[in-house]
Amino acid sequence: MASLSFIIGIIGNVISILMFTSPIKTFKQVVKNKSTEDYKGLPYITTLLSTSLWTFYGLLKTGGLLVVTVNGAGAALHVVYVIIFLIYAPHNIKIKSVKLVAAVNVAFLGIVIIITLLALKGATRITLVGLLCAGLTIGMYAAPLSAMRTVIKTKSVKYMPFFLSFFQFLNGGVWSTYALLVKDYYIGVPNGIGFVLGSLQLILYMMYKNKSRPVESDDERKEKEGSAHLVKDGLQLQDLDEKTKNGSTLHKANSLPNTSIITQHDMKTPSLGPLELENFTQRDIETGSQSNIGL
């Protein structure tokens, strides 16, 4: 049974390390874009506190080497994550996050360590730190609930990384099994809850991964709106130009004389009867003869 629990513990270490390293891709994108966008800092801040306390718990507990190694590595990685988040977060979020880190990861952790080492002894130390670790681990597993709300609201899984949810699911399942083997309920209860929450995240991911619509950043939205205005203005100018041309054509056309009317007027001749025609002819001949004599 001891060898089986050790093997499960090794598997749990590997999965936990993979879970702790899964945000690396996310933070590469943050550094590349120089913005945290809509990523939440709370999961990384609470995980840093949780892994730090679990490391302390492993140091207090007999046979807690596996707990120390995995959580020590996780704490180191999350120090890096939190620093990157604080560098690239918007100013208002940065201020709030710095205050939270100072209160939780520095002040609270320091107080717990001091009280445990100076005021408590024996099994009481394990009980206090174990209860704190269990509560914080539940908080760590529950922190992505805000991301789950974002997924439901936007119908996009962009801000709920798949591998983080997947390894949270595996991590909760493996460490729950380990806790049953070694009869450590401080490890078993929160990881059992983590297993359930990780399962829910995977279900949500499968529901919305094919329905996801791209989430535009503010810059992309402004650029698209600017392009739309340019196109609209261009169409208005083109339409105005065409109307101006058509108006000029109509104006020119209206200024021309009505050739059909003029032609009909010029070509219109009076109708003469036979007697009028004879008199007209004789009069023209006499007139023509007088004209010739004048010449």
Side-chain angles (χ1 to χ4, degrees), residues 6 27 67 74 77 82 122 148 194 198 212 228 237 251 268 287 292:
F6 183 78
F27 282 95
V67 177
L77 286 170
V82 170
M148 293 171 70
S212 296
L237 289 174
H251 179 71
K268 185 176 181 181
T287 305
N292 291 332

Side-chain angles (χ1 to χ4, degrees), residues 129-140:
V129 178
L131 289 173
L132 289 174
C133 288
L136 288 171
T137 302
I138 293 173
M140 180 191 74

Side-chain angles (χ1 to χ4, degrees), residues 261-290:
I261 296 174
I262 295 173
T263 303
Q264 292 174 1
H265 177 75
D266 293 343
M267 294 179 66
K268 185 176 181 181
T269 58
S271 176
L272 299 176
L275 294 175
E276 292 176 345
L277 181 59
E278 182 179 356
N279 294 331
F280 176 78
T281 304
Q282 291 176 356
R283 195 166 52 248
D284 284 347
I285 292 172
E286 292 176 358
T287 305
S289 299
Q290 292 176 359

Side-chain angles (χ1 to χ4, degrees), residues 239-255:
D239 185 54
L240 180 61
D241 187 46
E242 289 178 356
K243 288 181 178 179
T244 304
K245 290 180 178 179
N246 292 335
S248 300
T249 304
L250 291 173
H251 179 71
K252 290 179 180 178
N254 290 331
S255 65

